[in-house]
Amino acid sequence: MKNFVVKTIANAGALAVAVWLLDKITLTGGSTGKKIGTLILVALVFGLVNFLVKPIVKVLTFPLFILTLGLITLVVNALMLLLTSWVCGKLDLSFHVDGFWTAVLGGLIISIVSWALHLVLPDED
């Protein structure tokens, strides 16, 4: 359970950095508290998408992983971010990613920040 909370906090922090750095990734809301709550819900959706959908996409695109020496990972991460944006729209969460190339850059930022936060935050279960 503690590991789940740590990963959710790391995802929320990584998403916050992407929202802060990129103008076309938006998180709207009234107060700071509401934005933080929305960010945590978006992090939960993002974690769920990565847990359920990403392994299936990786298996289906395995030949492309070999052919591109892993660079297709950027595209897969972008698609997961776009899917998260779509699901958040359906759940009436105020998170939106505008365009594929923004999602590629956002996925790269989220991957780097998430990796750095996982180094700092404890990983116990």
Side-chain angles (χ1 to χ4, degrees):
M1 183 67 177
K2 189 176 182 182
N3 193 21
F4 173 75
V5 172
V6 168
K7 286 184 179 187
T8 302
I9 291 170
N11 278 339
L15 286 164
V17 171
V19 167
W20 179 61
L21 288 176
L22 300 174
D23 292 335
K24 292 187 177 184
I25 297 179
T26 57
L27 179 74
T28 56
S31 65
T32 303
K34 185 170 180 166
K35 285 183 182 179
I36 290 172
T38 302
L39 197 58
I40 291 172
L41 290 174
V42 171
L44 288 171
V45 170
F46 186 65
L48 191 63
V49 165
N50 281 329
F51 179 73
L52 296 175
V53 179
K54 193 173 185 177
I56 296 168
V57 173
K58 279 187 167 183
V59 168
L60 293 176
T61 60
F62 183 71
L64 290 174
F65 275 93
I66 294 171
L67 186 65
T68 63
L69 302 174
L71 287 177
I72 195 73
T73 305
L74 293 172
V75 174
V76 171
N77 287 343
L79 293 175
M80 295 305 107
L81 191 58
L82 286 171
L83 181 60
T84 300
S85 175
W86 179 78
V87 170
C88 287
K90 295 296 180 186
L91 295 175
D92 202 28
L93 295 172
S94 58
F95 176 77
H96 181 70
V97 178
D98 188 26
F100 175 75
W101 293 109
T102 303
V104 169
L105 191 55
L108 183 62
I109 291 169
I110 289 169
S111 296
I112 292 169
V113 172
S114 181
W115 169 77
L117 287 175
H118 279 101
L119 286 178
V120 174
L121 294 173
D123 191 19
E124 300 172 4
D125 224 6

